Amino acid sequence: MKSLQILALMFGLSTVASAEVVVLLPEQGALAYAAQSVRDGLTAAYYDRMPQPSLRFVHDDEQRPIDEVFKQALSPQTELVIGPLERERVEALIQSKPTVPVLALNQVEIEHPKVWEFALAPEEDVAALLRQMTRDGVKDLLVLTEPDQQANRRFEQVLTEQWQGALTAIQAVPKQLKKSQGLLLLGSGAWLEMLNDVPTERVYTTSFAFNQVSPFKAGLVFCDIPALYRPEWPELVKEAERKPVPIGYQRLVAFGADAWQLALLRLQQAPSAEMAGRTGYLSLRRHHIERTPDCMKATAQGWARIQ
């Protein structure tokens, strides 16, 4: 957090402390539970560190146009809006050309100078895993998929688009891998546990396989957010003890906490964003916050971060 502390000194804490931040999140509908996890993480980080600007939560009523909700949420003291969460509403808000700085909680193709965009995008998870595969010398990727599984569909689609080598769908675990081959397992944790004779090198999966943070077969590699595996953020540990949630929502809690740290940078009018966050290493590229998650490998002692 050194970069955040230095920037706070540069831009002054008094401006931040006197600001009002409005958070637009839905309290009802399909995204309400996810939004609550984001809110839990955001407030955990808010109360954990100074400065503390005024924080006000506003229901993002998805039955109303986002520009209307946005304008009615503002007060003369509002200096930053965090949200919305839903992708189409982020795009609609950008098209409305907001005059107040925004930290949007999703990413879209269009940009606006007032809007930073932050998301847990599957493209970033895929990019991290592909970089690791390249380091491992994989040129021919074998893909074994659990029948009828749905959770990895988007991940698989992005990987197919980004992978530059050979890609082969297979029906069973291969007896051995050539030095240039890697094995990607796409399925649930229960399915992974049932697989026999899985190689111990150049074998990969996704974070969607896990309902709890516990290692599976030795050698298995995947990329995920650091906060689930490294106890460096005590406010998230306290939040998990206060309100246990499934691991998918733990990711959103960490996302909300990182959103608050980025909001502080936005309030301080920082020209750039660079920090080791709870969801990965974060950096501002144009108006998007790019996230690089950690890659982990299963060992006899548990998960080990791949340097």
Side-chain angles (χ1 to χ4, degrees), residues 63-81:
Q63 302 303 313
R64 299 166 57 201
I66 185 59
D67 58 334
E68 178 182 310
V69 174
F70 184 86
K71 290 176 183 177
Q72 291 187 0
L74 302 180
S75 78
Q77 291 75 40
T78 304
E79 295 191 24
L80 176 68
V81 173

Side-chain angles (χ1 to χ4, degrees), residues 4 11 18 37 39 48 53 77 83 88 102 132 138 149 170 210 213 215 221 236 243 259 262 275 293 302:
L4 181 58
F11 292 95
S18 62
S37 294
R39 175 173 178 159
D48 186 63
Q77 291 75 40
E88 283 72 21
V102 175
Q132 185 58 49
V138 175
Q149 68 86 30
I170 59 176
F210 306 101
V213 180
V221 171
L236 295 188
K243 187 178 180 181
L262 291 168
M275 72 181 199

Side-chain angles (χ1 to χ4, degrees), residues 216-280:
F216 284 102
K217 301 178 186 299
L220 194 63
V221 171
F222 79 112
C223 303
D224 202 1
I225 69 173
L228 297 180
Y229 308 92
R230 292 156 46 192
E232 299 173 13
W233 295 275
E235 76 281 2
L236 295 188
V237 175
K238 293 177 184 177
E239 181 62 27
E241 293 172 348
R242 184 189 74 85
K243 187 178 180 181
V245 294
I247 195 168
Y249 291 98
Q250 290 179 38
R251 294 185 175 93
L252 292 174
V253 173
F255 173 65
D258 271 355
W260 180 247
Q261 297 303 129
L262 291 168
L264 289 179
L265 291 176
R266 196 76 169 95
L267 283 174
Q268 292 153 6
Q269 302 178 21
S272 63
E274 298 278 344
M275 72 181 199
R278 303 158 183 82
T279 59

Side-chain angles (χ1 to χ4, degrees), residues 144 170-174 183:
L144 179 61
I170 59 176
Q171 302 301 315
V173 175
L183 173 62

Side-chain angles (χ1 to χ4, degrees), residues 8 10 17 36 40 53 90 96 101 134 144-145 151-152 165 180 182-183 190 209 221 237 241 276 281 288 291 296:
M10 289 174 58
Q36 183 59 57
D40 290 342
V90 171
S96 73
T134 300
L144 179 61
T145 304
N152 291 290
S180 64
L183 173 62
V221 171
V237 175
E241 293 172 348
Y281 187 80
H288 288 208
R291 180 180 60 91
M296 315 295 295

Side-chain angles (χ1 to χ4, degrees), residues 135-147:
R135 293 190 193 103
D136 294 342
V138 175
K139 297 179 180 179
D140 180 5
L141 186 60
L142 309 179
V143 182
L144 179 61
T145 304
E146 179 182 8

Side-chain angles (χ1 to χ4, degrees), residues 125-257:
D125 299 322
V126 169
L129 192 60
L130 293 185
R131 281 192 294 269
Q132 185 58 49
M133 291 178 181
T134 300
R135 293 190 193 103
D136 294 342
V138 175
K139 297 179 180 179
D140 180 5
L141 186 60
L142 309 179
V143 182
L144 179 61
T145 304
E146 179 182 8
D148 302 322
Q149 68 86 30
Q150 298 295 325
N152 291 290
R153 294 301 186 196
R154 176 59 180 158
F155 185 98
E156 188 173 8
Q157 177 187 355
V158 174
L159 182 137
T160 301
E161 294 169 354
Q162 294 188 9
W163 177 247
Q164 299 298 312
L167 189 70
T168 306
I170 59 176
Q171 302 301 315
V173 175
K175 293 182 179 180
Q176 61 182 11
L177 295 173
K178 299 177 182 178
K179 289 186 177 180
S180 64
Q181 288 181 324
L183 173 62
L184 176 63
L185 304 174
L186 295 178
S188 65
W191 175 75
L192 284 174
E193 286 283 17
M194 291 190 298
L195 297 177
N196 296 318
D197 301 321
V198 176
T200 57
E201 294 294 333
R202 301 185 306 283
V203 182
Y204 312 91
T205 189
T206 76
S207 62
F208 300 108
F210 306 101
N211 293 319
Q212 58 185 357
V213 180
S214 58
F216 284 102
K217 301 178 186 299
L220 194 63
V221 171
F222 79 112
C223 303
D224 202 1
I225 69 173
L228 297 180
Y229 308 92
R230 292 156 46 192
E232 299 173 13
W233 295 275
E235 76 281 2
L236 295 188
V237 175
K238 293 177 184 177
E239 181 62 27
E241 293 172 348
R242 184 189 74 85
K243 187 178 180 181
V245 294
I247 195 168
Y249 291 98
Q250 290 179 38
R251 294 185 175 93
L252 292 174
V253 173
F255 173 65

